[in-house]
Amino acid sequence: MTHAQPDIAVPEELQWALAEAGKEAVAVAPGWFRAWPKGDEKWSVVNIRGASQVIVNHSREDDRHPNAWTVRALFGDKAVELRVGPYDNKAQAIWVAHAVLSLAFGDDRP
């Protein structure tokens, strides 16, 4: 006897966030995402699987994104802003951070 499990409905917010995160995922290998370059770099990518944390940051002190929410990856004491967002509210940034982790670790469902 098999027990069929119904497909779990993915919340609309997560569907949006997965699409948003997927725009900046690098297809080379799971876990790689575009990040904002530093200084004179042309581009930057990071492997989220190597990050110690993925955080949502209110960047009121950031001239580029005043009073917005961004998603950043921490590598030791270095924070790298991912090239998603910025977002007008914390909830959107949290959904995208969750989606980034889901994509990085191959879990595209909540």
Side-chain angles (χ1 to χ4, degrees):
M1 173 184 276
T2 61
H3 297 283
Q5 295 290 328
D7 285 339
I8 298 172
V10 177
E12 199 173 305
E13 295 89 347
L14 184 54
Q15 288 177 358
W16 167 82
L18 286 167
E20 186 80 2
K23 292 176 193 174
E24 299 304 331
V26 178
V28 176
W32 290 90
F33 287 84
R34 288 177 187 84
W36 290 109
K38 299 276 187 197
D40 60 350
E41 296 174 346
K42 298 257 187 221
W43 53 272
S44 180
V45 295
V46 294
N47 187 341
I48 296 299
R49 291 179 173 198
S52 56
Q53 293 181 45
V54 172
I55 63 169
V56 169
N57 185 60
H58 189 251
S59 56
R60 65 181 151 262
E61 71 281 350
D62 188 343
D63 292 336
R64 269 190 326 161
H65 310 301
N67 204 28
W69 294 88
T70 59
V71 179
R72 297 179 185 207
L74 298 181
F75 297 90
D77 62 349
K78 180 178 260 184
V80 178
E81 184 178 335
L82 299 184
R83 199 170 170 164
V84 292
Y87 302 100
D88 293 332
N89 63 60
K90 186 177 182 180
Q92 288 177 320
I94 289 171
W95 277 110
V96 173
H98 176 75
V100 164
L101 290 170
S102 293
L103 291 174
F105 289 95
D107 179 21
D108 59 356
R109 294 188 338 176

